[in-house]
Amino acid sequence: MAATAMCTVQLGSALTVPLFGQLGALGTAGLRLGWAGLILLVAIRPRPRDFTPRDLLACMLLGLVTAGMMVFFMQAIARLPLGTASALEFLGPLTVSLFGPRKGRLVWAAAAATGVVLLTEPWHGGADPLGVGSALLAAGCWAAYILLTQRVGDRVTGLKGLAVSMPVAAVVGLAIAAPDLADRITWSPLWTMLALAVLSPVIPFALEFLALRHLTTSAFGTLMSLEPAIALMVGLLVLGQRPGTAATLGLVLVVVASVGATRAGVRPPASSQEAPVSRHEPGRESVRRDQVSSNVAS
């Protein structure tokens, strides 16, 4: 699920690039978030009674970091080469991967970090301070996104948490993109962005929600190192960009690290974890008490 999510993200990005000249990078990001928030809100229709106050707050925070992750990265690639920005942004998931189970985590994280550096070759680009700062902020948002996504996914049934977080991200993203969109928006790109929003972020974010119910955050963070490799393959197949020796070695390293982290980072079965919050089973606790009482009596 995580690998499929990364593929759809990269495909969505490739199909979105032609719209940058028409809508601007921030305008494109804002419209994608706006349509995604509307789609999930209408399709899933979350209700306030499905959430505890703390879970609702977590969903809202997830929406804020989701918007920040996209907006800050757009700002970074406007000022830095894509390879440099990608390498800096990956510091977020890499940091998360360092705080998992001790077994093999440093080995897989080091392999993934080395592979990403070889893939992106950041030494070829300049270092604009504002661009570097934006990329680091995007990295922080990405780390928070991974942690909050797992927290919300564990506590809220289905995709209801995503149906709350994405509208929040949509409001924030559209508010930031409004100046760029004011004089550029027309009906044609508006409907095009609706289709692209389904491809990314609706499908990948939903898959990541589900994936994080089966993987530890550390394994998921390392697994995200596959994304630059997927981007490299998209560039080869779609844009005809052939990777050099360093990029090929980097691709091998991130694949090995991702496989190793995934095998070592499977979460316990759902039955051994805290059950998701549900407000639709008022009799469950009383049934359990009755069962305990009958067992004691026997």
Side-chain angles (χ1 to χ4, degrees):
M1 288 185 287
T4 302
M6 288 184 278
C7 290
T8 56
V9 165
Q10 292 303 320
L11 181 58
S13 298
L15 296 175
T16 302
V17 168
L19 294 173
F20 279 6
Q22 198 169 0
L23 297 173
L26 289 180
T28 302
L31 280 180
R32 285 169 67 182
L33 288 171
W35 278 123
L38 182 61
I39 290 168
L40 288 167
L41 188 62
V42 171
I44 298 175
R45 290 177 292 178
R47 294 167 294 186
R49 65 181 182 178
D50 295 328
F51 303 86
T52 66
R54 292 178 114 185
D55 294 336
L56 192 59
L57 177 61
C59 291
M60 296 177 70
L61 290 174
L62 177 59
L64 290 175
V65 300
T66 299
M69 182 171 62
M70 186 170 290
V71 168
F72 285 129
F73 188 66
M74 292 297 105
Q75 297 251 8
I77 63 176
R79 294 172 173 83
L80 295 174
L82 182 58
T84 303
S86 298
L88 289 171
E89 192 193 27
F90 182 69
L91 291 175
L94 181 61
T95 300
V96 172
S97 73
L98 294 175
F99 289 92
R102 188 170 297 276
K103 181 180 178 181
R105 67 180 181 181
L106 294 179
V107 174
W108 303 130
T114 304
V116 168
V117 170
L118 291 173
L119 274 168
T120 56
E121 300 181 357
W123 53 83
H124 288 321
D128 179 274
L130 186 57
V132 171
S134 297
L136 292 177
L137 286 171
C141 288
W142 197 358
Y145 166 84
I146 293 172
L147 298 173
L148 285 168
T149 294
Q150 185 172 84
R151 200 271 184 194
V152 171
D154 285 347
R155 295 286 299 163
V156 182
T157 58
L159 296 176
K160 294 175 183 176
L162 186 61
V164 171
S165 67
M166 281 307 301
V168 173
V171 171
V172 175
L174 286 172
I176 294 173
D180 274 9
L181 290 173
D183 299 326
R184 300 185 180 189
I185 190 67
T186 60
W187 286 109
S188 178
L190 186 65
W191 297 121
T192 302
M193 290 308 303
L194 170 59
L196 291 176
V198 175
L199 185 63
S200 175
V202 172
I203 292 176
F205 282 14
L207 289 174
E208 287 172 358
F209 249 76
L210 299 174
L212 277 163
R213 288 174 176 159
H214 299 276
L215 291 172
T216 62
T217 53
S218 60
F220 186 85
T222 307
L223 187 60
M224 289 297 100
S225 65
L226 266 177
E227 193 150 332
I230 293 171
L232 187 73
M233 297 304 296
V234 170
L236 173 63
L237 298 174
V238 178
L239 304 175
Q241 298 173 344
R242 295 183 175 276
T245 303
T248 302
L249 178 58
L251 177 61
V252 173
L253 282 173
V254 296
V255 170
V256 169
S258 297
V259 172
T262 303
R263 289 177 62 86
V266 176
R267 300 181 73 193
S271 59
S272 64
Q273 300 180 35
E274 182 180 5
V277 172
S278 176
R279 306 214 173 185
H280 303 289
E281 299 175 314
R284 173 180 285 186
E285 187 63 28
S286 60
V287 170
R288 286 179 178 171
R289 289 178 181 174
D290 290 344
Q291 290 173 344
V292 172
S293 300
S294 63
N295 290 338
V296 171
S298 357

